Amino acid sequence: MSPGGRTADLDLKAMMEELWAKVRVYNPQADEDKLWFGYRFAKAAHEGQMRKSGEPFFTHALTVATILADLRLDVDTLIAAMVHDVVEDTDYEMEDIRQRFGKDVAHMVDGVTKISGIRAVNKDARKAETYRKLVLAIAQDPRTVLIKLADRLHNMRTLSFLKDDRQLDIAQETMDVYVPLANRFGIARMKWELEDLAFKVLQPERYFEVEAGINQTRAERERLIQKIVTPLHESLNHAGVKHEISGRPKHFYSIYRKMKEQDIGMDRVYDLLALRIIVDTKADCYHALGALHSQFPPLADRIKDYIATPKANMYQSIHSTVRVPGGKYIEVQIRTGDMHDRAELGIAAHWRYKEGGGADKSDLAEMVKWLRQIMVWEEDVADAEEFMETLKVDFFRDEVFVFSPGGDVFQMPRGATPLDFAFRIHSEVGFRCIGAKVNGRIVTLRSELQNGDSVEILTSKTPNPSSSWLEVVKTSRAKHHIRRWIKTTQFEESVKLGREILEKELKRAHLKTKVDDLVDVSQQMGYTDLDKMLAAVGRGEITHMKVVGRVAPAPESKAEKVISRGKEIYDSLLGRSTSGVRVAGVDNLMVSFARCCQPIPGDSILGIITRGRGVSVHRVGCSNLNDPNLGPERMIEVSWDSGPDQTFMVKLIIQAVDRKNLLMDISNTLSNTNTNIASGEFSAEDDLAKVTMVVEVRNLNNLEKILKALGKVRGVQGIERFQLGTRKN
Ligand code: MN
């Protein structure tokens, strides 16, 4: 081993010892052997790989684990962090991880590996698909997101070793994906750092402007703090509230965002400085608020009580902006120590090792509930991009708080409409919604709800959703309900229609079979239940012919007549196919194929405008076209426009020398050419047999192949395509 390698090894070992020292403080019972085993395994796996910074690659994974140890996470998470790049960057498989460290660790690594593929939001469907995987991975084990965030944090800290354009890409992705992710999971500590690191790369001039501004005003700010903190201490002590006060400048990016949003200079950003009062109990929070306001008057519209109404990421705190001596304003946050922990660590707080027990999962279920809900709703969403759009609303947007007429507070994602609110109250309210009043005034259902709006929903007696509502609502909850409704009602109507069609057709075909007897047929056709097949018929996805054609024939007394089933069925059906032909540029015209000549694609055809039955399509040369009553004004040009899977019925008349197995040979020949026989009829006089068959063909070419094959059957003397008028049937 090279001397450099040895030094690197010693550095890694020192890092690991430091990591273990941290862990043993908060978790003395931690499995030290398992942790070191993970270290040795991952170190060996990455042996020889280098980072762009020139350090051994494994420093990265080890740092990620250390960041997580600072959040006091459990041993499995730390190991998963140490091995998180092993599957992606070495020859080891997920199975190797599972065998060594168990399925929990393997799951986390799997999730992290999948998330690695994610690039900026909303680029294309493939990326959205990866996002789905992310949501799934997090729903399965929320620790996955902690590892991924720590991974990104370390990569952002060491970004300067990459080329400029890579830096920009990664910083943008961090801003688009990981900052909102950290925010949604309430991990303020990571959110701020990621945001400021990305800000510095994306808008360096702005970043340094803010930095310079903060440095310039430092002395002034410290004087200000003293002016506030001293009287506040006294006031709180007087009220008997145990407390700690801390104050520091806000994060760079949040200052910049305020300046941009409100179009103001830095001197006018109220909460350049946030003062934080940490107390013991919830009651003390309100006592402290009282003490604060008795000293410094609040700005009435800038008090936010996130204790009574926590944010979706479970953030709790009271915010109040107060006026301080010199005409300045400052934002004060009041919260308990527990709330503070959760605000800084978010979801991580729930996985922290607790003395005398494992991870605290009490609120964790609540925290990922919304995520699981999205996974359920997501099943309704056909394409990944749409899923992404809804997810972005539920996941990444800020919240607004709105009120019901009764004064209840509801939290909605920013951008939500009154219709979203209606569905938020109850799906029935949503379905019956016909309008809304916001702050007493009628508004359109499309209008965006604002913080503090009081929303009243106007309803009708009957539900009235429409598919256009999907454009109006923003939340996945509302979308889910609307989609369900459309699906259900449309489905019911289609089933009804399909049932009517089939009842009529079965009757017309003189079949005793009832629609409810078609369960087997529906299964043969690949439907899980009868209603689904009926709906498909109702929607026109499959023709009634396909269904009726599959109804098993009633047993015949004469063996040779097995394939004989009333020619009426097919004759009646033949005239009723309505697609496959284009009529001189006109759409949606009723089209039927003449029974007399049964045209199929490839035949030259001509349309006759009938009275009340649309256009009837005939083969050119059909004797019926010679009808003296037909004037040229009733002839219309038509052309074939059939899909590749569309089939047409053709009746064939086969003359043959009667012999044993003749019918069997004919039907075998047809099945060898993949031809469906719709019906057949057999008659024999002396030793001459006549077989009439209706077969399904795609086009003329297909028919010619069939005729050729049939011509080779022993005994066959002639085959004719049925044409009314040329031969009596
Ligand atoms: Mn990594």
Side-chain angles (χ1 to χ4, degrees):
M1 189 182 288
S2 73
R6 187 175 301 276
T7 317
D9 256 18
L10 289 174
D11 289 348
L12 287 173
K13 186 140 187 273
M15 277 177 76
M16 181 59 194
E17 270 160 359
E18 209 175 300
L19 172 75
W20 168 240
K22 281 181 184 179
V23 175
R24 68 190 303 178
V25 170
Y26 66 82
N27 183 3
Q29 279 105 49
D31 189 340
E32 183 178 2
D33 291 343
K34 192 175 178 185
L35 208 54
W36 277 95
F37 177 45
Y39 164 82
R40 283 192 304 272
F41 171 75
K43 185 168 93 66
H46 288 299
E47 188 72 62
Q49 296 175 352
M50 290 292 166
R51 297 201 93 208
K52 287 273 189 305
S53 62
E55 292 172 310
F57 186 85
F58 185 51
T59 29
H60 163 64
L62 206 48
T63 309
V64 172
T66 307
I67 292 170
L68 294 169
D70 286 333
L71 300 182
R72 301 171 66 181
L73 285 159
D74 59 298
V75 169
D76 273 356
T77 310
L78 301 181
I79 290 177
M82 285 195 277
V83 303
H84 81 267
D85 278 326
V86 164
V87 174
E88 212 179 345
D89 294 338
T90 76
D91 292 337
Y92 285 104
E93 310 270 338
M94 207 58 75
E95 184 56 23
D96 298 312
I97 305 289
R98 198 188 61 77
Q99 280 172 6
R100 285 171 179 78
F101 306 106
K103 72 173 181 355
D104 274 13
V105 172
H107 259 135
M108 285 187 258
V109 174
D110 192 33
V112 172
T113 308
K114 278 172 182 153
I115 303 167
S116 299
I118 299 173
R119 291 292 173 264
V121 180
N122 204 19
K123 279 271 175 68
D124 57 32
R126 191 184 57 79
K127 282 160 192 166
E129 192 54 48
T130 321
Y131 230 101
R132 274 183 158 169
K133 287 181 189 154
L134 159 78
V135 172
L136 188 64
I138 298 171
Q140 279 172 350
D141 193 332
R143 290 174 292 181
T144 309
V145 79
L146 297 174
I147 299 171
K148 195 58 213 176
L149 285 168
D151 175 52
R152 178 50 58 115
L153 190 54
H154 185 239
N155 286 335
M156 283 301 292
R157 284 178 186 167
T158 54
L159 200 59
S160 59
F161 295 100
L162 300 186
K163 283 195 191 118
D164 285 357
D165 56 334
R166 279 294 289 152
Q167 286 192 31
L168 281 172
D169 277 357
I170 292 174
Q172 190 63 54
E173 185 187 64
T174 300
M175 212 52 132
D176 290 346
V177 177
Y178 292 96
V179 168
L181 210 55
N183 182 47
R184 194 58 181 77
F185 286 99
I187 314 168
R189 193 188 281 181
M190 282 192 181
K191 184 205 156 181
W192 299 130
E193 191 179 348
L194 285 170
E195 203 166 54
D196 279 354
L197 286 166
F199 179 40
K200 193 174 178 177
V201 173
L202 294 172
Q203 291 169 286
E205 299 90 2
R206 299 275 160 228
Y207 180 90
F208 291 118
E209 211 175 286
V210 173
E211 190 181 46
I214 285 179
N215 288 337
Q216 264 173 29
T217 53
R218 186 180 305 269
E220 188 194 341
R221 211 167 40 241
E222 273 162 9
R223 273 199 307 279
L224 190 63
I225 289 180
Q226 282 323 305
K227 274 191 205 161
I228 305 163
V229 169
T230 315
L232 203 53
H233 269 309
E234 278 168 20
S235 182
L236 286 165
N237 286 336
H238 184 71
V241 177
K242 271 214 300 190
H243 64 275
E244 270 170 47
I245 301 178
S246 61
R248 56 174 178 73
K250 283 222 151 185
H251 299 274
F252 291 7
Y253 187 71
S254 68
I255 291 171
Y256 167 69
R257 199 171 45 199
K258 281 223 162 111
M259 290 165 60
K260 210 175 93 179
E261 271 172 13
Q262 299 168 23
D263 197 22
I264 50 175
M266 245 179 93
D267 52 322
R268 295 202 42 220
V269 177
Y270 288 153
D271 36 14
L272 207 56
L273 179 75
L275 212 59
R276 191 170 290 145
I277 306 174
I278 310 257
V279 296
D280 285 347
T281 67
K282 196 161 122 184
D284 281 351
C285 291
Y286 293 97
H287 290 147
L289 185 68
L292 172 72
H293 289 173
S294 73
Q295 291 280 337
F296 308 104
L299 272 179
D301 61 337
R302 293 187 56 91
I303 304 173
K304 290 177 208 142
D305 185 354
Y306 297 115
I307 293 179
T309 317
K311 288 194 183 189
N313 63 17
M314 300 183 78
Y315 176 83
Q316 285 189 301
S317 199
I318 299 174
H319 295 187
S320 180
T321 302
V322 296
R323 199 151 66 93
V324 295
K328 300 247 174 200
Y329 293 89
I330 193 166
E331 187 188 82
V332 181
Q333 303 173 346
I334 305 169
R335 54 177 84 146
T336 67
D338 269 1
M339 291 173 192
H340 181 63
D341 259 14
R342 249 183 294 156
E344 290 291 298
L345 306 173
I347 204 169
H350 301 282
W351 280 102
R352 292 175 82 176
Y353 174 82
K354 291 266 157 90
E355 298 262 342
D360 167 23
K361 298 184 195 176
S362 53
D363 289 334
L364 190 69
E366 184 61 29
M367 200 143 184
V368 291
K369 206 172 76 183
W370 61 273
L371 203 57
R372 298 224 164 91
Q373 187 64 67
I374 285 178
M375 295 311 294
V376 173
W377 288 340
E378 184 232 346
E379 286 171 12
D380 295 344
V381 184
D383 68 291
E385 259 170 307
E386 195 192 336
F387 167 67
M388 214 32 238
E389 277 310 306
T390 19
L391 187 69
K392 264 163 73 186
V393 172
D394 287 345
F395 204 7
F396 293 149
R397 293 236 179 133
D398 281 345
E399 297 106 40
V400 293
F401 294 92
V402 297
F403 298 90
S404 70
D408 290 327
V409 186
F410 290 85
Q411 196 178 56
M412 305 292 300
R414 186 173 294 285
T417 65
L419 199 50
D420 285 298
F421 180 75
F423 278 99
R424 176 64 203 277
I425 296 172
H426 197 280
S427 56
E428 275 306 308
V429 178
F431 291 143
R432 289 162 205 274
C433 177
I434 48 166
K437 282 184 182 175
V438 168
N439 305 325
R441 289 222 304 267
I442 299 263
V443 297
T444 69
L445 289 180
R446 283 178 187 277
S447 54
E448 235 180 65
L449 296 178
Q450 306 296 326
N451 236 332
D453 278 351
S454 165
V455 190
E456 185 185 343
I457 298 299
L458 310 173
T459 55
S460 67
K461 285 213 171 90
T462 48
N464 193 31
S466 82
S467 49
S468 66
W469 281 15
L470 288 172
E471 310 286 319
V472 177
V473 298
K474 299 290 178 342
T475 56
S476 46
R477 175 196 295 264
K479 286 199 178 176
H480 163 77
H481 285 302
I482 296 167
R483 265 193 211 102
R484 262 290 158 79
W485 196 88
I486 293 169
K487 233 189 222 168
T488 313
T489 44
Q490 282 182 349
F491 184 76
E492 281 165 4
E493 272 165 25
S494 305
V495 170
K496 212 173 122 205
L497 185 61
R499 180 175 285 275
E500 276 168 17
I501 293 173
L502 286 175
E503 255 163 23
K504 213 157 82 193
E505 294 308 323
L506 286 167
K507 213 180 204 169
R508 200 199 276 265
H510 300 292
L511 287 167
K512 287 206 181 88
T513 314
K514 297 283 173 238
V515 171
D516 286 319
D517 301 334
L518 295 175
V519 177
D520 286 350
V521 172
S522 71
Q523 277 166 5
Q524 282 167 27
M525 294 182 75
Y527 294 94
T528 47
D529 62 55
L530 178 60
D531 278 357
K532 287 200 179 120
M533 183 184 79
L534 297 181
V537 173
R539 285 192 298 261
E541 286 167 14
I542 54 167
T543 65
H544 50 74
M545 289 184 271
K546 278 237 161 72
V547 179
V548 175
R550 276 180 187 255
V551 175
E556 294 279 344
S557 48
K558 257 180 147 181
E560 282 282 44
K561 280 205 163 186
V562 168
I563 53 171
S564 163
R565 271 183 292 140
K567 71 181 168 60
E568 302 96 318
I569 313 174
Y570 295 98
D571 283 353
S572 71
L573 296 174
L574 284 173
R576 295 171 50 82
S577 180
T578 54
S579 59
V581 164
R582 184 178 297 283
V583 182
V586 189
D587 276 329
N588 292 328
L589 208 61
M590 188 155 75
V591 170
S592 60
F593 296 108
R595 289 178 219 179
C596 48
C597 55
Q598 299 174 352
I600 59 172
D603 286 333
S604 306
I605 47 178
L606 197 64
I608 296 175
I609 301 167
T610 66
R611 295 191 176 84
R613 285 188 299 111
V615 174
S616 162
V617 178
H618 292 257
R619 272 199 269 164
V620 170
C622 172
S623 53
N624 282 337
L625 290 176
N626 301 329
D627 189 332
N629 295 324
L630 281 176
E633 76 282 358
R634 288 187 50 200
M635 306 277 191
I636 187 167
E637 214 178 295
V638 292
S639 58
W640 290 107
D641 185 27
S642 59
D645 295 318
Q646 205 168 345
T647 57
F648 296 79
M649 299 290 182
V650 169
K651 189 185 282 185
L652 301 175
I653 299 135
I654 305 164
Q655 310 271 5
V657 179
D658 196 13
R659 61 174 173 87
K660 213 175 151 201
N661 296 335
L662 173 67
L663 268 185
M664 197 180 76
D665 290 349
I666 288 175
S667 63
N668 282 346
T669 304
L670 287 170
S671 77
N672 286 342
T673 57
N674 278 325
T675 308
N676 273 344
I677 305 171
S679 77
E681 216 182 353
F682 174 84
S683 64
E685 263 185 52
D686 300 324
D687 58 354
L688 204 64
K690 190 177 104 178
V691 183
T692 308
M693 285 189 157
V694 177
V695 295
E696 264 182 75
V697 303
R698 286 185 300 280
N699 52 38
L700 198 56
N701 222 340
N702 182 214
L703 177 63
E704 271 159 12
K705 280 192 186 128
I706 294 165
L707 294 178
K708 208 167 163 190
L710 286 174
K712 287 181 185 158
V713 174
R714 186 163 59 86
V716 169
Q717 295 184 324
I719 312 164
E720 281 183 63
R721 190 170 158 189
F722 172 75
Q723 162 74 65
L724 195 73
T726 58
R727 177 175 290 272
K728 208 164 158 284
N729 180 25

